[in-house]
Amino acid sequence: MRDNAKNLYAIQLKSIGRGLDIGTLIEVRRAQLACKLSDEIAADMFREHAKKLIQENISSALDILKSRNKATNSPTQVIEEVKCVLAFNSLLTVLSKHPQGDRFARGLGPISLAGELDHDRRAGDLKTLYRAYATDVLSDGPVDNEKLTPLNDLRNIFGLGKREAEAIISDVKSQAYRKRLAKSFNTDLAAAPSKASFLQNLCEELQFDPELASKMHEDIYRQKLQQFVADGELSKDETEALMAFQVRLCIPQETVDAAHTDICGQLFEKVVKEAILSVDGYNADRREAVRKAAQSLNLKKEAAMTIFSKAVRKLFLNYIQKAKAAGNRIEQAKELKKLISFNTVVVSELLADIKGELTTAEPATSSATSEPETTESEGEDEDYEWESLETLKKTRPDKELKEKLGKSSQKEISLKDDLPLRDRAELYQTYLMFCITGETTNVSFGTAISSKKDDSEYLMLKQLGHILGLTAKEAQDVHIKLAEKAFVQQAEVVLADGKLTESKADQLATIQKQVGLPSEHAQKIIKSITTTKLSSAIEASISRGQIGIQQVRGLKDANFELDSLISEPLRETIYKKCAEEIFSSGTGEFDEEEVYVKMPADLIISAEKARSIVQDIAKVRLENALVQAVALLRQKKRDGVISSLNDLLACDAAVPASKPLSWPTPRELDDLYCVYMKSIPKQDKLSRLQYLLDISAEKAEDLRDAATAGTLPQTGQEEEELAF
């Protein structure tokens, strides 16, 4: 029943065309009700019928666009088909809001092709058709909502994304703006008193983004510039024409400079590379070509220098890579020497010609580099103490050597920003070693001969420093590092045993003069070597127990730095040993200031740590001292008993006992007290021992009275019986 109803309703829908007669819509609604077809199905069928009508117009318009026959390929017909689509869609929208809409066929409303099965496949054609209509609508006259509203409706009908449609409209506006700009360039725009106001009004009229307009102006200027420099130079008329474009299109000067740097710079870079890499060398023809390019391309000096610097630094890096890949130091130095010669012979002359300061390369280069010389000398005066370095002095040639070498090299282009300081310093040091040792030639029987180099090599070394972008201080540091390394190597041989005798001091002074190190720095190195040797000997002595607090104080009085000479663990070991000696000395004395203040200060140990070490030792030794005293008592060694009791009192002084000591045989504690009392000790020590041995006041009084009367019992027999 539903299928039959749909078939009957489909026959009724055929009567609906693009005109959408109200009476027909009412009749179709009656037919739907007569067929008892649901509103939902009826609405879907109506929308499908409307889409077919729209697709017929779209297909017709696309056939016209794709037709190769000029007679049938009429833009007007295409636009008419699109307008039919818009009119039909507008009528559907209006009728869907009609007051009597309940009497009309179901499914009225705007149509969209989005979601159709073949929509993605047809998206390209729909965009093409959308662009064609946008071009027709926006090409003439100002752009307003009256033109943009149909475009928005058409976007919804075609099911295009918002960004896709906006991109198409922006492109069409761009073409319209370019067309209007070309039309008014030599007329209205040229006569306009304010070019910026004219362009702003044009953008507002077309609702075109001013930023996109500025970008278009730049593109137009670049196209003209490329067209003018196709022959390799800019004539006076072409320069004036470019100026007119800049003024009328309100192009900022920095944009113009960037365009010239990019476009003219490529041509200039080509001429420079040809001059640099020429097989015939930098001859008069190449020089004239470079000068002509620098002047005729209307490049600013800064832009020309930037381009030239980029090309030169690239070649500098090629030499550096070859030097790094060389097998040994001599081969590396040879590659660096080629770099220096290339800089002097080619780069310096090219630079002078590009700058166009003078007709000859040498005076121009000298003039250009005079200012860095002053700055460098000022930096060298600050480190006058290093003037004694022989290798550093040789990098500052006298007037005679300068005249002999003739040409000087440029200093404006360097590898300062292309290589890290560490790599640049290593390359400088490599050539410095070459200057010192000379070139080595291998001969028979496995021997080699070094050829002596003259001081001109050091001038080339200085030029290498400029190429590498090293400051005077950075180059000086390399000289210092190498001189110190040479002095250290020889000093370690002289001071192998760690002893500095008078003869060794004279020998080291001679080495110092040869190397050129200042006396103060040489003495620091000597002290460092002797300290290291002494430190090793001291550590061995500590491990053997031969170094105590007195020896440490002697080293301190001799101005040795203990924290670098003796490690902290070893200093703590010495402190522990001293504490143990105090608790085993048998004197019973414990000087808190000596143990807790003076000794930690001498050994550079914190007071808290020192107190912790002493207390840990005292706690252990306190119990051990009592055991040892009883053992010696049993062995009838009276002196040993007294010493052990004194040690016990010393431990108690460090860590006062909170309660008396315990022992299983109290009689032995009485005997210990009697033995100690007979030694006539100080009263405070005897009283403290009485407390520690837990002897009551009455018993202590009886024992003292017996001692005074001379009636203390002889404990020898009693000891034997007790032992038995």
Side-chain angles (χ1 to χ4, degrees), residues 13-21 24 46 49 53 88 91-92:
L13 287 177
K14 291 180 180 179
S15 63
I16 296 178
R18 295 175 181 84
L20 288 179
D21 178 66
T24 304
F46 186 91
H49 178 71
L53 295 177
F88 181 52
L91 189 56
L92 288 172

Side-chain angles (χ1 to χ4, degrees), residues 105-340:
R106 297 294 182 261
L108 292 172
I111 299 299
S112 176
L113 299 179
E116 295 293 313
L117 294 177
D118 61 344
H119 183 268
D120 292 341
R121 179 176 60 82
R122 301 186 61 186
D125 291 339
L126 294 175
K127 290 179 183 178
T128 302
L129 190 57
Y130 186 81
R131 180 183 292 275
Y133 181 74
T135 302
D136 180 76
V137 171
L138 302 177
S139 294
D140 297 327
V143 176
D144 51 20
N145 291 333
E146 186 178 349
K147 293 182 178 180
L148 294 177
T149 300
L151 283 171
N152 188 50
D153 294 340
L154 188 62
R155 174 180 70 82
N156 293 329
I157 295 171
F158 286 173
L160 299 178
K162 186 176 181 181
R163 291 185 178 179
E164 294 175 323
E166 287 178 350
I168 293 172
I169 291 176
S170 177
D171 190 25
V172 172
K173 287 181 179 179
S174 176
Q175 294 175 3
Y177 181 83
R178 184 183 286 269
K179 182 178 178 182
R180 295 278 296 275
L181 195 64
K183 184 178 179 180
S184 61
F185 187 79
N186 292 320
T187 55
D188 296 341
L189 179 59
S194 174
K195 318 298 183 188
S197 298
F198 182 90
L199 296 174
Q200 182 66 29
N201 292 335
L202 185 58
C203 288
E204 292 176 356
E205 183 179 337
L206 296 176
Q207 294 189 18
F208 188 53
D209 188 353
E211 292 186 3
L212 296 178
S214 298
K215 183 67 172 61
M216 183 186 294
H217 299 163
E218 180 182 350
D219 292 340
I220 293 172
Y221 187 89
R222 282 177 169 270
Q223 290 173 2
K224 284 296 178 183
L225 179 60
Q226 286 179 333
Q227 178 183 342
F228 289 157
V229 299
D231 57 354
E233 59 180 331
L234 281 174
S235 65
K236 183 179 179 181
D237 293 340
E238 291 170 340
T239 302
E240 292 177 353
L242 288 173
M243 180 61 70
F245 273 93
Q246 179 185 356
V247 172
R248 294 178 189 179
L249 298 180
C250 300
I251 302 175
Q253 185 61 43
E254 55 268 21
T255 303
V256 171
D257 293 341
H260 279 263
T261 301
D262 185 20
I263 297 171
C264 300
Q266 293 178 3
L267 298 174
F268 181 69
E269 184 178 3
K270 181 180 178 182
V271 174
V272 169
K273 286 184 176 180
E274 289 177 353
I276 293 175
L277 303 176
S278 174
V279 178
D280 300 330
Y282 188 53
N283 52 28
D285 294 337
R286 295 293 179 187
R287 171 173 290 181
E288 183 60 29
V290 170
R291 288 189 175 184
K292 181 180 179 182
Q295 296 172 3
S296 62
L297 289 175
N298 199 24
L299 273 174
K300 287 193 172 184
K301 184 181 292 185
E302 294 80 7
M305 285 296 299
T306 301
I307 296 167
F308 179 63
S309 174
K310 181 180 178 181
V312 168
R313 286 186 287 110
K314 187 175 181 180
L315 293 172
F316 280 175
L317 289 173
N318 289 339
Y319 281 104
I320 297 297
Q321 290 175 355
K322 291 180 182 179
K324 289 183 176 181
N328 53 57
R329 192 182 71 245
I330 302 299
E331 296 300 322
Q332 288 180 347
K334 288 182 178 180
E335 291 296 332
L336 293 175
K337 195 170 184 177
K338 293 178 183 178
L339 167 62
I340 299 167

Side-chain angles (χ1 to χ4, degrees), residues 56 104 180 269 415 585 616 646 657:
E56 289 176 2
F104 297 162
R180 295 278 296 275
E269 184 178 3
L415 297 175
S585 63
D616 290 342
N646 279 329

Side-chain angles (χ1 to χ4, degrees), residues 689-700:
L689 182 63
Q690 173 190 337
Y691 170 77
L692 293 174
L693 298 180
D694 197 16
I695 296 174
S696 64
E698 294 79 5
K699 184 182 290 186

Side-chain angles (χ1 to χ4, degrees), residues 518-701:
S519 178
E520 180 183 350
H521 290 266
Q523 290 302 319
K524 286 182 180 179
I525 294 173
I526 294 171
K527 184 177 180 181
S528 175
I529 295 172
T530 54
T531 301
T532 303
K533 300 288 185 181
L534 181 59
S535 177
S536 301
I538 288 174
E539 289 182 5
S541 299
I542 292 173
S543 62
R544 293 194 297 268
Q546 297 174 348
I547 298 292
I549 188 62
Q550 298 303 325
Q551 288 77 11
V552 169
R553 286 169 174 165
L555 292 172
K556 187 176 180 181
D557 293 340
N559 295 323
F560 283 98
E561 297 179 0
L562 289 181
D563 53 347
S564 61
L565 191 63
I566 305 174
S567 63
E568 185 176 357
L570 289 176
R571 297 199 301 274
E572 291 178 6
T573 300
I574 295 173
Y575 185 75
K576 289 178 182 178
K577 181 185 174 185
C578 293
E580 289 174 350
E581 288 177 352
I582 291 172
F583 294 138
S584 61
S585 63
T587 61
E589 300 295 333
F590 182 79
D591 187 349
E592 288 194 6
E593 184 178 0
E594 173 69 17
V595 177
Y596 288 148
V597 179
K598 293 182 179 180
M599 287 171 53
D602 291 336
L603 291 170
I604 315 176
I605 299 174
S606 66
E608 294 79 6
K609 194 165 191 177
R611 186 176 293 273
S612 175
I613 292 172
V614 170
Q615 290 177 353
D616 290 342
I617 295 173
K619 289 176 183 178
V620 176
R621 299 286 299 212
L622 184 66
E623 298 288 345
N624 292 342
L626 179 59
V627 174
Q628 187 176 6
V630 174
L632 292 171
L633 177 68
R634 293 172 181 177
Q635 297 174 25
K636 303 178 182 179
K637 295 181 179 179
R638 179 176 176 276
D639 294 339
V641 172
I642 295 171
S643 296
S644 296
L645 292 174
N646 279 329
D647 292 340
L648 183 145
L649 290 170
C651 294
D652 178 68
V655 185
S658 59
K659 61 181 180 178
L661 302 175
S662 61
W663 188 253
T665 310
R667 180 63 182 275
E668 285 184 320
L669 297 180
D670 295 344
D671 291 343
L672 289 176
Y673 184 78
C674 290
V675 172
Y676 194 73
M677 184 174 59
K678 289 179 180 180
S679 67
I680 314 175
K682 294 181 180 180
Q683 186 59 39
D684 57 341
K685 289 186 178 181
L686 185 61
S687 299
R688 187 59 183 172
L689 182 63
Q690 173 190 337
Y691 170 77
L692 293 174
L693 298 180
D694 197 16
I695 296 174
S696 64
E698 294 79 5
K699 184 182 290 186
E701 185 66 27

Side-chain angles (χ1 to χ4, degrees), residues 320 324 332 336 415-416 419-433 461 464-465 467-471 473-479 481-482:
I320 297 297
K324 289 183 176 181
Q332 288 180 347
L336 293 175
L415 297 175
K416 181 179 181 180
L419 292 173
L421 176 60
R422 179 179 177 181
D423 291 353
R424 292 183 283 129
E426 286 180 357
L427 292 166
Y428 186 85
Q429 181 174 323
T430 298
Y431 201 81
L432 175 57
M433 290 293 296
L461 173 67
L464 177 63
I467 295 171
L468 295 173
L470 294 175
T471 63
K473 180 67 170 60
E474 290 167 347
Q476 177 180 280
D477 289 342
V478 177
H479 287 265
K481 179 181 176 182
L482 198 60

Side-chain angles (χ1 to χ4, degrees), residues 316 319 334-348 407 409 431 460 463 467:
F316 280 175
Y319 281 104
K334 288 182 178 180
E335 291 296 332
L336 293 175
K337 195 170 184 177
K338 293 178 183 178
L339 167 62
I340 299 167
S341 300
F342 170 72
N343 180 59
T344 303
V345 176
V346 178
V347 177
S348 297
K407 295 181 179 179
S409 62
Y431 201 81
M460 297 185 73
Q463 294 173 357
I467 295 171

